[in-house]
Amino acid sequence: MLDLSFGANTPLRMSITTQRTLTPMASSSPTQDSMDQQKPQQTQRLQIYSNSNNGVTPFWREKYEREAKRYWDVFYKRHQDKFFKDRHYLDKEWGDYFSGGGRKVILEVGCGAGNTIFPVIASYPDAFVYACDFSPRAIELVKTHEDFKESRVRAFVADLTDDDLCKEILPSSVDIVTMIFMLSAVSPEKMPLVLQNVRKIIKPNGYVLFRDYATGDLAQERFSGKDQKISDNFYVRGDGTRAYYFSNEFLTNLFKENGFAVEKLHVYCKQVENRSRELIMNRRWVQAVFRFTEDLNSSSSNEAEGNRVGSDSISPETKQNSSNGSLIDSAIDLSEGVAFDMFGVLPSSEYEIIEIKLRGWNFKIRVLSKEHQHTCKSTGLMLWESARLMASVLAENADIVTGKRVLELGSGCGGICSMVAAKHADLVFATDGDALALDLLAKNVTSNLKPPMLTKLTTKRLEWGNNDHIEAIKEENKLGFDVIIGTDVTYIPGAILPLFATARELITSGESNKYGNVPVLIICHIFRRVDEPSLLSAASQFGFRLADKWPAGVPNELSQSIISKWFSGNGLMNDLPSTALNILLFRLE
């Protein structure tokens, strides 16, 4: 049995056993057959993606660093001031530092939308706050906040790894610097630059109040299973923003080497339960107080010394949320959306609706938003140019599918080819191997089609080479399919053989159907990792021969090209989504 259990659009492992059900048409030599019979049966593994976490490539690592400001600007454009909670716990945790000793001058580093600023000025009427962020949009959110007053807050754009704080603030004039979930967004090699910049404007014996992610946090565990690692404890999120996870040792050394003594340092662990989703979330963060001093040989407080010895000091806490599943935890500082994101569940804000207008059709398709696509391995959550072209071809050439049974392999979440085909076909199956893409596909179909077209279209799970999936489709359509369509399904070299094997199992016999047309397999794609000779070789193993191709055509074939007629007199050539697109038309031998 050939069991290639993976989706057309999903990088899952596929395994091959030596028992054969889906058999290539090309036979081997007798000598080879006898040799194969003498070999013991073995189970081989062919993986589309390696299990090992290779991490972010140098190209993307440099891009994330170079465009860090832009990624955060896009973040605040999307979320405005709704992402982080206002930090009303500041008075409880650090009230002794903010009060007493006269008016305090405070610098909030990485102020974001002002979730620290406005609770502070509300609790301490005499305080004056400098607020900086390298996202211009974040600073604009602060300045347009209803509680913003220039007499209490001065907000400005600054990249503390590059811009001199003394251009905005007098040297040695700040009592307290707050760094709350800010330093983790800076690459670790540039963190010393931030602290050296802060040293210029903080008073002797001034304090840095610090809170940020700790190693072992649930989000870090989630990242460890994906190719999102930039360096040790440093990861990129789906939206391009980055996060570092601090250990006690790293944090202590970082501040000590840059002129700060440790006053207090704790690692907190809080367990948050979401009962409705049956999720247990173990969150870890580090909270510390550092004092600027020129004499680091002096001993810190006993509490600080105790916290710095040995392994991370952990203060365990437990919190259960309300039964409706919301995650309300001001101490963790995060919104509900990011908590769900830790578990790989895409919240609605990570999707966007794109409008597709083609040849009299108007689709509204929900896909993964562009800012999350570069770290998402499921290509089925996006809409590719080949699907747009093939859907246009079907819309202009109804005879391709009229009265026929149509199967789309690797539909992804869009399914626009299947929806166009449903207008004239007898029945249509839109399939994909990725569960998330398939769920989104079903929703897109339901929201874009109405009966009778809707009743003719079935969405179905189909991992190429998965015999259970193939047999389930055969049960629903015992006659096989007259037309099989695949758009951008040749991206992964290891998936090509299972693709043709699956098509061979589900295509109808080579006899002409009631319209006098023989069954065909149509692939619309851009040649990327698999070249044409390799593709044709794989096709031939399962009894498919190339009958026509576009744009070049097949030499020595019939004088009249099949595919070129699809582009005749309808203007399709004038609005190609990409000039690199190709169409291959296969028939059975």
Side-chain angles (χ1 to χ4, degrees):
M1 173 173 31
L2 179 62
D3 183 13
L4 303 171
S5 300
F6 68 104
N9 292 320
T10 310
L12 302 180
R13 174 181 295 178
M14 63 179 185
S15 60
I16 305 176
T17 61
T18 55
Q19 294 179 330
R20 302 192 312 181
T21 298
L22 308 181
T23 308
M25 301 299 292
S27 62
S28 57
S29 66
T31 303
Q32 183 64 45
D33 285 342
S34 62
M35 291 176 63
D36 290 343
Q37 291 174 3
Q38 296 175 8
K39 293 180 181 179
Q41 288 192 346
Q42 296 180 353
T43 299
Q44 302 176 13
R45 290 289 180 182
L46 175 60
Q47 290 181 241
I48 300 300
Y49 286 89
S50 171
N51 277 338
S52 63
N53 182 1
N54 296 322
V56 175
T57 64
F59 170 83
W60 281 102
R61 188 181 303 119
E62 293 172 8
K63 181 179 176 65
Y64 293 135
E65 177 66 31
R66 185 174 62 252
E67 300 184 14
K69 180 184 297 187
R70 183 180 69 84
Y71 284 118
W72 277 108
D73 224 35
V74 171
F75 173 91
Y76 285 110
K77 178 182 179 181
R78 173 177 289 274
H79 297 288
Q80 300 291 308
D81 59 353
K82 303 298 191 296
F83 195 82
F84 296 105
K85 302 175 186 297
D86 280 348
R87 290 149 182 165
H88 297 291
Y89 58 81
L90 295 171
D91 182 62
K92 174 184 176 182
E93 298 292 335
W94 292 317
D96 291 344
Y97 296 94
F98 289 114
S99 60
R103 187 190 194 202
K104 290 293 191 295
V105 176
I106 301 165
L107 168 62
E108 163 70 344
V109 177
C111 63
N115 302 95
T116 294
I117 299 168
F118 298 109
V120 165
I121 62 175
S123 299
Y124 304 98
D126 292 336
F128 181 86
V129 178
Y130 289 100
C132 66
D133 199 289
F134 72 166
S135 166
R137 199 176 298 272
I139 296 301
E140 186 62 26
L141 288 172
V142 170
K143 291 183 175 180
T144 56
H145 192 283
E146 61 181 358
D147 294 329
F148 177 80
K149 297 179 181 178
E150 290 187 353
S151 60
R152 303 288 311 279
V153 179
R154 172 167 169 71
F156 57 95
V157 177
D159 177 358
L160 296 198
T161 67
D162 187 46
D163 300 326
D164 189 351
L165 278 174
C166 289
K167 293 181 179 179
E168 300 286 345
I169 307 172
L170 291 174
S172 304
S173 63
V174 173
D175 298 287
I176 298 170
V177 176
T178 56
M179 292 185 179
I180 301 177
F181 294 100
M182 167 269 162
L183 198 60
S184 55
V186 179
S187 57
E189 60 270 17
K190 289 189 175 182
M191 290 178 186
L193 299 178
V194 175
L195 299 185
Q196 292 163 21
N197 211 345
V198 166
R199 286 182 56 181
K200 299 176 183 178
I201 52 84
I202 196 170
K203 294 178 179 178
N205 293 315
Y207 293 101
V208 174
L209 308 182
F210 181 94
R211 176 180 282 205
D212 221 318
Y213 305 109
T215 53
D217 181 66
L218 177 65
Q220 183 182 21
E221 294 177 4
R222 171 179 172 263
F223 286 137
S224 64
K226 301 183 178 182
D227 292 333
Q228 293 177 243
K229 184 176 181 180
I230 299 174
S231 60
D232 288 345
N233 297 324
F234 194 38
Y235 302 85
V236 61
R237 302 185 182 93
D239 61 0
T241 61
R242 301 170 299 174
Y244 185 87
Y245 295 83
F246 292 95
S247 66
N248 276 12
E249 181 180 7
F250 177 89
L251 193 62
T252 299
N253 290 338
L254 173 67
F255 274 83
K256 184 176 180 180
E257 290 168 3
N258 288 280
F260 294 87
V262 180
E263 292 289 308
K264 297 179 180 180
L265 194 154
H266 292 279
V267 173
Y268 290 84
C269 180
K270 182 180 287 287
Q271 188 178 87
V272 182
E273 179 182 356
N274 186 318
R275 293 175 180 172
S276 68
R277 300 182 63 87
E278 298 182 352
L279 300 177
I280 300 295
M281 292 167 281
N282 294 310
R283 302 306 319 281
R284 287 168 58 91
W285 71 95
V286 59
Q287 183 166 303
V289 177
F290 301 98
R291 178 172 54 85
F292 176 47
T293 175
E294 297 179 352
D295 183 11
L296 288 180
N297 293 323
S298 62
S299 61
S300 301
S301 67
N302 291 334
E303 180 181 10
E305 288 297 320
N307 289 331
R308 291 159 57 189
V309 174
S311 60
D312 289 358
S313 171
I314 301 176
S315 298
E317 299 182 22
T318 302
K319 180 181 179 66
Q320 292 186 346
N321 67 312
S322 58
S323 60
N324 63 7
S326 62
L327 301 173
I328 303 173
D329 188 359
S330 61
I332 295 178
D333 234 83
L334 300 177
S335 69
E336 178 178 356
V338 77
F340 288 160
D341 179 59
M342 294 170 193
F343 290 89
V345 180
L346 293 172
S348 58
S349 63
E350 295 189 9
Y351 292 111
E352 62 184 6
I353 295 177
I354 59 175
E355 189 170 353
I356 307 295
K357 294 182 179 180
L358 53 87
R359 306 292 157 172
W361 292 80
N362 187 10
F363 297 108
K364 291 184 178 179
I365 305 296
R366 185 178 292 273
V367 299
L368 185 66
S369 62
K370 290 182 178 179
E371 66 184 83
H372 294 279
Q373 290 178 5
H374 57 96
T375 55
C376 180
K377 291 182 178 178
S378 178
T379 56
L381 297 178
M382 312 162 205
L383 189 65
W384 297 92
E385 295 169 329
S386 55
R388 296 173 187 255
L389 174 60
M390 197 63 221
S392 297
V393 168
L394 295 176
E396 289 290 345
N397 299 271
D399 59 298
I400 297 175
V401 297
T402 298
K404 301 173 186 176
R405 300 177 296 274
V406 179
L407 169 67
E408 184 177 6
L409 297 173
S411 301
C413 67
I416 59 176
C417 293
S418 293
M419 287 191 274
V420 171
K423 184 175 181 179
H424 298 286
D426 278 359
L427 64 86
V428 178
F429 276 60
T431 66
D432 202 276
D434 181 82
L436 190 57
L438 193 67
D439 179 66
L440 201 54
L441 170 64
K443 293 176 181 177
N444 282 329
V445 168
T446 302
S447 63
N448 282 279
L449 292 187
K450 296 180 179 179
M453 285 188 288
L454 181 60
T455 57
K456 290 195 292 182
L457 199 159
T458 300
T459 58
K460 199 76 174 176
R461 180 82 179 272
L462 177 57
E463 297 174 349
W464 300 342
N466 185 309
N467 292 279
D468 291 336
H469 292 177
I470 291 171
E471 291 302 319
I473 291 177
K474 286 183 176 181
E475 282 296 314
E476 295 190 40
N477 175 36
K478 299 185 185 332
L479 298 176
F481 294 93
D482 306 302
V483 178
I484 299 180
I485 298 169
T487 60
D488 256 322
V489 291
T490 62
Y491 181 69
I492 301 171
I496 303 304
L497 286 176
L499 165 67
F500 284 107
T502 301
R504 183 66 182 87
E505 282 292 302
L506 293 173
I507 199 166
T508 192
S509 65
E511 301 176 358
S512 298
N513 62 14
K514 63 183 180 180
Y515 286 89
N517 296 318
V518 296
V520 295
L521 167 62
I522 304 170
I523 292 178
C524 180
H525 67 155
I526 295 175
F527 285 107
R528 293 186 175 94
R529 298 181 179 179
V530 181
D531 59 20
E532 183 174 316
S534 299
L535 200 63
L536 299 184
S537 174
S540 67
Q541 292 184 53
F542 293 92
F544 289 100
R545 67 175 178 84
L546 184 64
D548 195 11
K549 67 178 181 180
W550 175 90
V554 177
N556 302 321
E557 276 288 332
L558 298 176
S559 59
Q560 291 183 330
S561 171
I562 302 168
I563 302 178
S564 64
K565 291 181 180 179
W566 298 348
F567 292 85
S568 177
N570 50 31
L572 279 174
M573 291 295 297
N574 297 327
D575 54 1
L576 291 176
S578 170
T579 57
L581 286 164
N582 293 264
I583 300 178
L584 303 178
L585 187 145
F586 295 92
R587 287 176 173 166
L588 291 174
E589 296 284 3

